[in-house]
Amino acid sequence: SRPILDMSYSRHFLDFQGSSIPSSMKKLVVTKLSQNFREAVTLQQDSPVPLPGDGDLLVRNRFVGINASDINYSAGRYDASVKPPFDIGFEGVGEVVALGLSASADYTVGQAVAYVKAGSFAEYTVVPARQAVPLPSVKPEFLTLMVSGATAYLSLKELGDLSEGKKVLVTAAAGGTGQFAVQLAKKAKCHVIGTCSSDEKGGFLKSIGCDRTINYKTENVESVLRKDYPEGVDVVYESVGGKMFDLALNALAIKGRLIVIGFIAGYQNPTGLQPIQAELLPAKLLKKSASVRGFFLNHYLSDYKMALQHLLKMYERGDLVCEVDFGDMSPEGKFTGLESVFRAVDYMYMGKNIGKIVVELPHSVNSKL
């Protein structure tokens, strides 16, 4: 029979490996609105471990994902009505350690799950069972698909109109979501161009199928595009903003499509923006019958589970590389424990990562068996 732990009556209970779940935990909390993550966020040492309600799971987080938009969230840009203190972190992978009675119809203690929900930068997170995604095991690779993979898949599917022979430009191509845009465009038999900031990243991009890499530190992106692609590119997957946006817009072919999934270059500014040549936008779009479309994952949640299941199957078949960067090459080494989230955010904004940045939350289990 399946173990069911109804947590409504107790503050201390046993997890599936026989160790006591503590009554308090560490978590990161936004205590001041700021685009400076270190100023905005505080590590709280003794927050109460939350209790799952009837339809909830209590997940012990093992891996949490770092996103460029963590800074937008800590700056209060997503919802002006939310006032500090509030929890932060968008996605996690871990095990179910307790659950409500209704949730036990579909889940069991010990099950591996992933989720997208605010509050993942914590040792334990309560997740509504309907929002959880069951996994075959607790692996950091699954985390790469939750936000980064799903964003690439859904935006290209809904807005990209990809077909064989189309030329696709991916900016920040070796990053958490860029890696998926490159691979999915290749699966659609497109010619893929990726911008990156180092030869090492260029090597990674070639290994996942990128046809032309442009190291913007050593090559002039605008010149390369004009020379090698005189008729322009059909689709741009754009996450950098500022000058890169202008450059990508200028590189569009007739009927070209520019998909904006972010503009990381401006997130650390007080406004969250970097200037673009917006006054020229109408004329440029008209001249080429081109379009600029924004994509925000929250607006596509009705298709989210379908996208995730598709990506999970691709990964399990070996058709998708899910590159994880634990920060092993960062000055202070691997990102381990909630206190290293601050370093991981810095590392991303320095443009050091190859693939998705993931922080591991180790758990010592004192088994009573």
Side-chain angles (χ1 to χ4, degrees), residues 11-42:
R11 204 157 259 292
H12 295 272
F13 45 96
L14 296 180
D15 72 7
F16 68 100
Q17 287 179 312
S19 67
S20 177
I21 291 175
S23 56
S24 64
M25 65 171 186
K26 292 180 185 173
K27 72 172 180 176
L28 294 185
V29 178
V30 176
T31 48
K32 172 191 170 186
L33 296 183
S34 171
Q35 76 282 355
N36 180 330
F37 192 82
R38 287 179 181 271
E39 276 184 17
V41 178
T42 303

Side-chain angles (χ1 to χ4, degrees), residues 59-127:
V59 178
R60 181 166 62 184
N61 293 315
R62 291 279 301 284
F63 300 102
V64 294
I66 304 296
N67 291 285
S69 44
D70 289 328
I71 278 189
N72 285 334
Y73 201 58
S74 71
R77 290 179 189 141
Y78 281 169
D79 185 351
S81 67
V82 177
K83 299 286 182 270
F86 55 87
D87 297 348
I88 191 166
F90 292 129
E91 53 185 343
V93 165
E95 308 101 348
V96 175
V97 291
L99 68 172
L101 210 51
S102 298
S104 69
D106 299 306
Y107 288 91
T108 180
V109 168
Q111 191 161 355
V113 293
Y115 64 89
V116 175
K117 176 184 177 283
S120 70
F121 292 163
E123 291 178 317
Y124 296 85
T125 303
V126 167
V127 179

